[in-house]
Amino acid sequence: MLYALADCDNCFVSCERVFNPSLEGKAVVVLSNNDGCVVARSQEAKALGIPEGLPFYQMAERFPGKEIHALSSNYTLYGDMSARVMSLLRASAPDIFVYSIDEAFMMLGDSKYIAFDAKAWGEELAAKVRRWTGMPVSLGIAPTKTLAKVASKFAKRYPGYHKCCVIDTDDKRLKALALFPVADVWGIGRRTAARLEAAGIHTALDFTRLDAESVRRALTITGLRTWQELHGQDCIALEHLPRKQTICTSRSFPKMLTTKAELTVPISSFAACCAHKLRQQHSMAQYVTVFISTNPFREDLGQQSLTHTIALPAPASSDPEIAAAALKGLDACFRSGFQWKRAGVIVSGTVPEDELQTSFLDISPEQKMKFTKMSALSDKINQRHGDESLMIASALRPKDPETGKGTTFRNSILHTRRSPFYTTDIRDIIEVM
DNA sequence: TCTGGGGTCCTAGGACCC
DNA sequence: TCTGGGGTCCTAGGACCC
């Protein structure tokens, strides 16, 4: 088997640049929700030494006098751009696995039996994605996924590869591994890297020279798989699970919250979001977990992290059922006297919706049917008219006496530097004068 | 003042059963 | 009342990914 990994270069920054070419060649960073910290950096920003995860408020003092363009994240835009890139990849390979918003593995079959110029194919594909979507992508092609990852990093790093690096011989493999820091290997995280470095293992090649048994003992079966993949043995299976086993929606708050009543709005909203994700993958959940936690950076304040899990009487996926359970969970775990900074809802124990077993403990079949129909209708309305056109009342904050407007949790998240919804909202479409 | 969000897999240890 | 050991299931925590 030969794998091609396609990886968008500096994905979020590249999405922004497609619609704002004046950002080209400049140091650009994209920030997390509430403009909290840096989640994506342009090449120029990386060259300045801006680390990933840097709190935005520290940027000015850490990088004085530098011209850095900071943008709020616009996930609607990134999701749409990603879908465009993926559709081009899908049209170019028989079988693809979308691994994340910015990367996908393409299965290219067995090179031994197919006359195939991987290098030419990859260069052409990268050029086509750039031409048709504006997004720069790098391709790595190799007999295992871990080696394809290595190859894609070379394709990114050295322009001489023309966006595509192929590792298809043992000679190339050994040369690449000798130049590749072990800390950058897919599957070797910060902790493991530190341990390996301490033992004098610096490159991926050093790592492959360890014997298999000691790797397994020290790094468990997962570490051994990485070792085997670097040797060229294809052993990391990626399959789309039929459904996610857990689904989580969580956010930090722009301001800390103190009362249970204040938490009701975000918790209801997170619950409805989880319910929606459940319905999208055609499944139902058996458990609903709520968690609330204080701000770990405020050492001057009392710290607390509380969680409570509710077992549903029967699997559910409607907004009202999930939200009711979540609020019950909030009720059970809430304690006053703390400043809550972050909360979330996790639904777990998912089962396919068509395998639903009725239970005498559950709400009546008539009521269940009503909730199911209502959810399907609200999904349709929200798809046509925009998210949160229709929502459960508990996710709506009471009207502000000054403005007379009710607000949703999502509207309270700060995105003061967000770009327009160029591709998904007709009001934001680019005009050419 | 301001510090992200959403997943998966593996292992160890405890509870429980036979 | 005393005793052993093996299997399974569940959970918490750690590590990793993007």
Side-chain angles (χ1 to χ4, degrees):
Chain A
M1 180 59 94
L2 209 52
Y3 294 96
L5 172 72
D7 196 325
C8 299
D9 303 344
N10 313 321
C11 183
F12 297 170
V13 170
S14 296
C15 291
E16 297 288 350
R17 281 178 171 170
V18 169
F19 296 94
N20 185 356
S22 74
L23 296 172
E24 213 66 56
K26 296 182 179 159
V28 183
V29 300
V30 174
L31 306 171
S32 63
N33 276 328
N34 297 314
D35 296 339
C37 59
V38 172
V39 293
R41 303 158 292 160
S42 71
Q43 223 43 56
E44 297 78 6
K46 288 176 188 171
L48 282 178
I50 298 172
E52 194 177 1
L54 176 74
F56 178 47
Y57 76 92
Q58 290 175 7
M59 195 139 81
E61 76 191 57
R62 290 271 302 270
F63 300 90
K66 303 287 185 212
E67 191 195 353
I68 301 165
H69 299 262
L71 298 162
S72 302
S73 44
N74 183 343
Y75 288 105
T76 309
L77 175 67
Y78 311 150
D80 187 60
M81 292 305 290
S82 168
R84 295 175 185 209
V85 171
M86 296 307 170
S87 78
L88 284 180
L89 300 183
R90 199 166 280 120
S92 308
D95 194 8
I96 103 165
F97 177 87
V98 177
Y99 182 68
S100 72
I101 193 166
D102 72 333
E103 53 187 284
F105 288 101
M106 290 174 273
M107 279 58 104
L108 302 181
D110 198 325
S111 55
K112 274 181 272 185
Y113 304 105
I114 306 169
F116 176 62
D117 184 346
K119 177 81 172 134
W121 176 84
E123 284 186 23
E124 197 177 313
L125 178 55
K128 178 170 152 187
V129 171
R130 180 73 196 232
R131 205 162 53 236
W132 290 17
T133 69
M135 292 292 286
V137 296
S138 300
L139 275 93
I141 301 178
T144 72
K145 300 183 189 73
T146 307
L147 287 171
K149 278 269 195 184
V150 171
S152 79
K153 297 240 175 127
F154 280 100
K156 265 187 217 299
R157 201 170 305 159
Y158 304 106
Y161 283 113
H162 302 292
K163 310 303 283 179
C164 176
C165 170
V166 181
I167 299 178
D168 54 355
T169 65
D170 220 39
D171 189 42
K172 286 188 202 169
R173 181 179 70 85
L174 294 173
K175 276 185 189 156
L177 295 187
L179 291 169
F180 204 74
V182 72
D184 293 350
V185 171
W186 189 47
I188 306 284
R190 230 183 48 236
R191 302 257 174 177
T192 306
R195 283 169 65 196
L196 291 171
E197 296 278 354
I201 295 147
H202 305 292
T203 68
L205 188 65
D206 295 338
F207 179 64
T208 59
R209 286 182 174 149
L210 297 172
D211 75 280
E213 185 48 34
S214 52
V215 169
R216 202 200 59 77
R217 264 203 314 273
L219 306 180
T220 79
I221 182 75
T222 47
L224 180 62
R225 283 191 198 130
T226 297
W227 182 91
Q228 290 172 320
E229 285 250 323
L230 290 175
H231 276 276
Q233 299 169 40
D234 183 13
C235 59
I236 294 181
L238 287 182
E239 292 146 45
H240 273 300
L241 286 175
R243 57 184 178 276
K244 282 179 188 151
Q245 295 155 37
T246 63
I247 290 170
C248 172
T249 304
S250 72
R251 292 286 181 281
S252 296
F253 307 134
K255 284 181 181 165
M256 291 186 276
L257 307 180
T258 51
T259 67
K260 202 185 334 180
E262 284 175 303
L263 284 164
T264 299
V265 174
I267 293 291
S268 303
S269 166
F270 301 157
C273 185
C274 285
H276 177 70
K277 292 177 190 170
L278 279 170
R279 298 193 293 271
Q280 274 188 319
Q281 64 163 21
H282 302 291
S283 62
M284 295 181 144
Q286 304 178 81
Y287 304 96
V288 178
T289 302
V290 170
F291 67 86
I292 52 178
S293 47
T294 50
N295 186 347
F297 296 100
R298 290 294 301 271
E299 290 171 9
D300 54 321
L301 299 176
Q303 296 293 317
Q304 194 65 252
S305 191
L306 302 172
T307 162
H308 191 86
T309 300
I310 298 280
L312 294 165
S317 65
S318 72
D319 290 6
E321 284 168 284
I322 304 294
L327 292 178
K328 214 196 278 180
L330 174 64
D331 230 29
C333 69
F334 180 82
R335 280 176 57 190
S336 53
F338 293 94
Q339 308 245 5
W340 305 105
K341 177 62 179 170
R342 186 177 143 80
V345 172
I346 304 165
V347 293
S348 57
T350 56
V351 294
E353 62 188 2
D354 51 13
E355 283 174 25
L356 178 65
Q357 306 259 325
T358 52
S359 159
F360 67 88
L361 293 170
D362 199 15
I363 51 178
S364 71
E366 295 77 27
Q367 183 73 350
K368 194 93 177 172
M369 182 55 72
K370 215 154 109 188
F371 281 153
T372 304
K373 282 187 178 165
M374 197 182 81
S375 299
L377 185 61
S378 88
D379 287 343
K380 258 189 204 160
I381 289 174
N382 288 332
Q383 197 186 358
R384 186 177 305 173
H385 299 285
D387 290 345
E388 299 193 334
S389 299
L390 189 63
M391 59 195 299
I392 50 172
S394 56
L396 200 60
R397 193 169 280 153
K399 282 184 182 172
D400 183 318
E402 282 178 26
T403 64
K405 284 183 183 169
T407 52
T408 61
F409 172 73
R410 196 186 306 181
N411 286 336
S412 73
I413 295 182
L414 302 173
H415 293 279
T416 56
R417 313 160 154 265
R418 184 153 67 192
S419 52
F421 296 111
Y422 298 109
T423 62
T424 55
D425 191 327
I426 191 71
R427 291 165 295 188
D428 286 347
I429 201 161
I430 285 189
E431 292 176 32
V432 180
M433 302 298 177

